[in-house]
Amino acid sequence: MAGPEGPHREPEDDRNLVGRAKQGDREAFATLVRRHQGRAFNLAYQMVRNREDALDISQEAFARAYTSLPTFKGEASFSTWLHRIVVNLAIDGLRRKRVVGTASYDDTRAVPGEPEAEPSTRDDPAAALESKQVRALLARGIAQLPPAQQAVLVLREIEGMTYEEISQAVGCSLGTVMSRLFYARRRLQQVLKKHLADLR
Amino acid sequence: MVHWFHMAMGRGRRLAAYAADELPAAEHARVEADLHSCPACRREVDAYHLVSSTLRTEPRARMSPEQAAAFLAGVERRLRPGTAALARPARPALRELFWDHPRLSLASAAAAVILVLGLTLVQMEVWGPWSPSVPNGVEVVSIEAGEDAPVMVFQAPGSSLKVIWVFEKPTS
Amino acid sequence: MRHRRRPRHRAFSGVTLVCSLVALLAPHSSLYAQATAALRVQVIYAANEPGGVDGRLGNLAAELQRTFRYSKYELLDSPQGAPALNQSWQATLPGDRRLEITPTAMQGGQYSLTVRVLSSSGQAVVNTRVRLRSGATVLVGGPSHQKGVLIIAITAG
């Protein structure tokens, strides 16, 4: 998984593939799809928390990327550009649903066979339980964030993108990215602060 | 004792930036020193750390192998009718692939047996794909509201019923 | 050299595949065990007006009173159906609306349903996917009717 420190440098291959795809090389675009489909799916899922919707969004993003290739200037990496499409589609989807109050989306399970996220807690049931509770609290908190804040939070904390990459991915200024991230983080830390106080 | 960052503008942002390791070195050290004597500030920073550390270790959502294999086809279906397939990988005829590769054909046969066995076990409720502990046997998987009609899902205390409620726009 | 072994593995694979196909198509197989979803729907009018609770609601009445604060619950209709997998079943609702339910998965006593309430113009007022255990009930409510609202109780299995 990419950490928050490292920038996502576009491999040389992506640039070449994009160039060929723009010339009409469909196999080149197919290679780009195979290379980036997993990450696109994960990003969509982290935003909408529903596997079927995430699949819809990520496939739609590639379809739109394909038809928009002539407009792709290459200032950002293909990955960042694709992220932008995924994020916009996810935000549209979240806004369309307009759920008021708490929504009980139960489809949050990983694919069967997915390894445990925190092996260090495997032998400590109490720690594992607390970790689960924290994740559940955060998941609920994230679902209640405004979609724009949710997007920057996911891109920063889960995808590990830099602020510049996020700014390009969501199409807003650096200041706006930092502001949205602050409000998103603050909201979540308020949720957890109470949880931590209850434990002590 | 009143701390300098309680009075300064953007105390909250300063703590958040400290927790995210985004302050210049000198300011970072100053905040750190003051945290020792501000338990409330410490709790706030701990909570920020917990948010970040939990999110950064969030398990990646992965498509099933079948979904991953069919992903490109799904993209192709969404493209405008008439767009040629994105890629036609060279593939031997299915018959040739199956009959001339002993391991593949035997593996396919074994897979067919496992599939039938699996379906039978599911039917017998020996193994079910869904969680066995769904409260009250109802899960709301997804909701999409119409225009100007927000939707809420709730369950009243003491009731076993899960309710999907539509707030319809008044017609008058 | 490999070709000499071809006939043996072909025969074995072929027989195994044919047997598997027969097993899959056999009447006892899971594909045929739950071919339709038995749906029971109760269309209820709820309002704050005199009328009390309709006795025909049975056990549902108590749950409705625990969930909502209406003074009147009247059973308007109780359509039933048994659509097959991925087949849509519709019932008429008051106000020229329609209820549409489509089973998308049926396995081991559990049902995955897409439930839509459609307005008179065909627009989906709500479009939801739910999973129900056999016998469990989910409520879809809120569409206005006369002085109150409609509450639609859906039970599968």
Side-chain angles (χ1 to χ4, degrees):
Chain A
M1 196 187 302
E5 306 82 19
H8 294 277
R9 291 199 185 80
E10 184 182 6
E12 189 65 34
D13 287 0
D14 266 9
R15 214 173 295 140
N16 287 343
L17 288 169
V18 168
R20 291 205 333 251
K22 286 174 91 165
Q23 302 298 323
D25 184 342
R26 292 194 171 90
E27 179 57 41
F29 191 79
T31 304
L32 286 168
V33 172
R34 288 186 208 105
R35 183 176 295 176
H36 293 282
Q37 65 184 44
R39 202 157 166 228
F41 175 81
N42 178 58
L43 174 58
Y45 177 81
Q46 296 298 347
M47 289 206 53
V48 300
R49 294 278 160 171
N50 178 288
R51 298 184 64 81
E52 287 180 38
D53 289 348
L55 193 62
D56 268 344
I57 286 168
S58 47
Q59 286 179 338
E60 181 64 26
F62 279 105
R64 293 198 185 189
Y66 183 75
T67 52
S68 310
L69 266 180
T71 67
F72 177 56
K73 300 278 184 287
E75 294 117 344
S77 68
F78 174 78
S79 168
T80 301
W81 182 60
L82 181 71
H83 273 51
R84 183 170 184 167
I85 302 173
V86 171
V87 164
N88 285 337
L89 285 170
I91 289 176
D92 285 347
L94 287 170
R95 284 183 180 146
R96 231 189 348 261
K97 292 198 174 174
R98 299 192 200 184
V99 176
V100 175
T102 56
S104 54
Y105 294 115
D106 299 311
D107 188 11
T108 56
R109 291 181 294 283
V111 172
E114 188 97 347
E116 284 292 322
E118 292 160 290
S120 61
T121 61
R122 207 176 280 141
D123 298 326
D124 184 346
L129 176 63
E130 190 189 327
S131 168
K132 246 188 185 172
Q133 288 171 337
V134 167
R135 286 194 192 281
L137 278 173
L138 280 184
R140 221 172 299 151
I142 291 173
Q144 289 169 353
L145 290 174
Q149 287 181 19
Q150 208 173 323
V152 297
L153 184 83
V154 167
L155 290 173
R156 175 68 180 167
E157 302 286 8
I158 298 178
E159 288 292 309
M161 292 176 102
T162 65
Y163 287 129
E164 290 75 18
E165 287 170 333
I166 297 171
S167 163
Q168 289 174 330
V170 301
C172 64
S173 70
L174 214 59
T176 303
V177 169
M178 297 181 76
S179 178
R180 285 179 186 168
L181 195 55
F182 165 70
Y183 286 114
R185 280 170 171 164
R186 188 175 70 171
R187 205 147 159 184
L188 294 182
Q189 71 89 12
Q190 282 166 348
V191 165
L192 288 193
K193 214 165 60 171
K194 186 186 177 309
H195 172 78
L196 288 173
D198 289 345
L199 290 177
R200 278 167 200 161
Chain B
M1 184 177 168
V2 175
H3 300 275
W4 66 268
F5 53 70
H6 289 181
M7 299 174 65
M9 292 286 286
R11 167 199 167 268
R13 286 196 189 228
R14 203 175 307 258
L15 284 181
Y18 167 83
D21 212 18
E22 289 168 0
L23 287 177
E27 206 168 338
H28 181 100
R30 204 154 52 140
V31 171
E32 190 160 278
D34 282 338
L35 283 180
H36 290 305
S37 44
C38 178
C41 306
R42 187 78 244 171
R43 276 196 296 276
E44 199 163 321
V45 166
D46 286 347
Y48 276 122
H49 281 150
L50 189 56
V51 169
S52 287
S53 64
T54 304
L55 291 179
R56 285 172 192 182
T57 55
E58 187 73 14
R60 290 191 86 75
R62 289 193 169 86
M63 291 181 272
S64 66
E66 295 75 25
Q67 286 174 326
F71 190 92
L72 181 60
V75 174
E76 289 174 355
R77 273 195 296 277
R78 288 163 190 276
L79 293 171
R80 277 191 299 276
T83 307
L86 283 171
R88 296 190 192 280
R91 207 186 291 182
L94 196 62
R95 185 170 170 273
E96 184 190 328
L97 189 70
F98 186 83
W99 289 126
D100 291 347
H101 292 76
R103 283 185 196 153
L104 185 59
S105 63
L106 289 170
S108 306
V113 170
I114 291 167
L115 176 68
V116 171
L117 208 59
L119 285 172
T120 308
L121 286 173
V122 168
Q123 165 62 15
M124 290 164 59
E125 297 190 44
V126 170
W127 169 66
W130 295 334
S131 163
S133 58
V134 173
N136 305 315
V138 178
E139 269 183 273
V140 179
V141 176
S142 70
I143 306 170
E144 205 173 295
E147 289 232 358
D148 298 324
V151 181
M152 179 172 75
V153 177
F154 69 93
Q155 186 163 347
S159 168
S160 66
L161 292 176
K162 202 162 267 188
V163 184
I164 300 164
W165 195 261
V166 181
F167 293 90
E168 252 191 353
K169 196 175 169 185
T171 49
S172 56
Chain C
M1 299 298 164
R2 287 165 65 190
H3 299 311
R4 269 188 285 159
R5 298 179 61 188
R6 210 188 301 170
R8 235 186 275 169
H9 86 260
R10 276 190 188 179
F12 179 77
S13 305
V15 167
T16 309
L17 280 174
V18 168
C19 288
S20 303
L21 200 61
V22 169
L24 271 177
L25 294 175
H28 70 273
S29 83
S30 59
L31 288 182
Y32 282 83
Q34 285 180 306
T36 60
L39 299 175
R40 281 171 286 132
V41 173
Q42 291 169 287
V43 182
I44 302 153
Y45 167 54
N48 283 320
E49 60 185 34
V53 181
D54 194 326
R56 294 172 295 171
L57 289 168
N59 293 337
L60 188 58
E63 289 293 339
L64 288 171
Q65 289 177 299
R66 271 197 278 272
T67 306
F68 306 104
R69 291 188 200 283
Y70 295 108
S71 57
K72 171 178 177 170
Y73 298 92
E74 181 190 344
L75 181 66
L76 298 180
D77 195 6
S78 45
Q80 297 185 31
L85 196 64
N86 295 320
Q87 249 188 13
S88 288
W89 171 81
Q90 288 197 357
T92 316
L93 296 176
D96 250 347
R97 299 181 184 98
R98 280 171 294 137
L99 172 70
E100 182 188 86
I101 303 177
T102 310
T104 53
M106 296 184 271
Q107 223 172 11
Q110 300 187 39
Y111 300 87
S112 219
L113 307 174
T114 297
V115 177
R116 301 202 304 160
V117 173
L118 305 169
S119 68
S120 53
S121 60
Q123 297 253 343
V125 173
V126 67
N127 181 352
T128 179
R129 280 183 289 204
V130 298
R131 285 184 190 145
L132 301 180
R133 286 191 181 280
S134 181
T137 299
V138 67
L139 299 187
V140 178
S144 58
H145 179 63
Q146 293 177 359
K147 292 182 184 164
V149 294
L150 292 177
I151 297 173
I152 304 153
I154 301 166
T155 310

